[in-house]
Amino acid sequence: MNRLLNTQLIFALAGASISFLAGVEPGITQPEQYCDDPGSIPAAETTRNLELDKFGVELTIPSNFRAMLLNNGNVKIVDPGTYELLSCIAKGRKALGRGYAQTLVRTVENPRNLELRQLVEQKSRENEKISPYSFDGKQGYLVEQRSRDVVAIPDAHAEFWVDTNDVPGAVVISKSCDCSGMSESLVSLLERSSLLNSSQASTP
């Protein structure tokens, strides 16, 4: 769609800075310039391991995908074309809007020390399905979107919640897209990934 890309929607960080894990250097640009958009680039057939010490997990992602550290501590993983577009926007340029797929890794605080299932239920919506799922031998929960709105895209968002014992609260790994099939995509990611050993994971 030919509309200006809403940076607050993309980053959920109005006016916030972003660190790029791949080492992209910041640049000075004219604020009225528009970003070149190569479009979404397909995942490479090869993979690489991305260690996220803060979260106590190691994700196996396509070798050409890029990771971005947001200033709220979350990590966003996107295809290289989307990465190029988002990095351009972060430097102050504008862009025409388009949807994109992402993997997001974040933590959710648990100040009341609820059981993980209780925490997931508290944070989930009524139209989401919660199912037990074992990740690298650790019990967690899959949260699958099942929209009741016929105009919405079903299965456009899926989450996995786990307590790694290495970070406070729960670690949430999610997949989202303006397309369906995110539950299957998330499970595929989890099957290729693993928890870091306690000696490897660091406490913030």
Side-chain angles (χ1 to χ4, degrees):
M1 290 182 290
N2 291 327
R3 67 178 188 275
L4 293 183
L5 200 58
N6 186 332
T7 56
Q8 186 174 5
L9 176 63
I10 287 181
F11 298 117
L13 300 166
S17 62
I18 296 175
S19 299
F20 296 90
L21 297 183
V24 172
E25 295 295 330
I28 299 175
T29 62
Q30 297 298 321
E32 295 302 320
Q33 289 181 331
Y34 282 80
C35 297
D36 292 329
D37 182 8
S40 297
I41 296 176
E45 295 183 2
T46 55
T47 61
R48 67 183 178 93
N49 294 330
L50 177 66
E51 289 189 8
L52 300 176
D53 291 351
K54 174 183 175 181
F55 302 98
V57 298
E58 179 179 87
L59 303 182
T60 300
I61 63 174
S63 57
N64 63 336
F65 274 34
R66 309 292 291 274
M68 305 165 64
L69 176 63
L70 309 185
N71 76 336
N72 61 2
N74 297 343
V75 171
K76 178 181 291 192
I77 302 166
V78 294
D79 70 88
T82 299
Y83 178 91
E84 182 177 328
L85 178 64
L86 297 184
S87 63
C88 177
I89 294 170
K91 296 174 184 177
R93 295 188 185 182
K94 296 180 180 179
L96 297 177
R98 67 168 172 86
Y100 65 93
Q102 69 170 7
T103 300
L104 186 70
V105 186
R106 60 189 176 96
T107 56
V108 174
E109 294 182 354
N110 186 12
R112 296 172 55 194
N113 293 317
L114 299 174
E115 294 292 331
L116 181 59
R117 173 80 189 213
Q118 293 177 305
L119 181 63
V120 175
E121 290 175 346
Q122 183 185 82
K123 300 294 184 180
S124 298
R125 299 174 181 174
E126 291 184 1
N127 65 336
E128 292 178 326
K129 176 185 175 183
I130 302 173
S131 307
Y133 184 87
S134 179
F135 173 52
D136 197 19
K138 185 76 171 179
Q139 176 68 60
Y141 293 94
L142 280 175
V143 180
E144 301 171 82
Q145 179 195 50
R146 290 291 182 264
S147 177
R148 296 173 183 167
D149 188 344
V150 294
V151 301
I153 300 173
D155 197 23
H157 180 83
E159 298 179 343
F160 173 68
W161 292 61
V162 67
D163 179 1
T164 66
N165 296 325
D166 295 309
V167 295
V171 172
V172 182
I173 304 169
S174 64
K175 283 266 194 176
S176 58
C177 178
D178 56 347
C179 57
S180 59
M182 290 301 98
S183 295
E184 182 179 351
S185 179
L186 177 59
V187 169
S188 178
L189 171 66
L190 296 174
E191 289 176 344
R192 301 191 308 268
S193 303
S194 62
L195 293 167
L196 291 174
N197 294 327
S198 298
S199 59
Q200 292 176 287
S202 60
T203 302

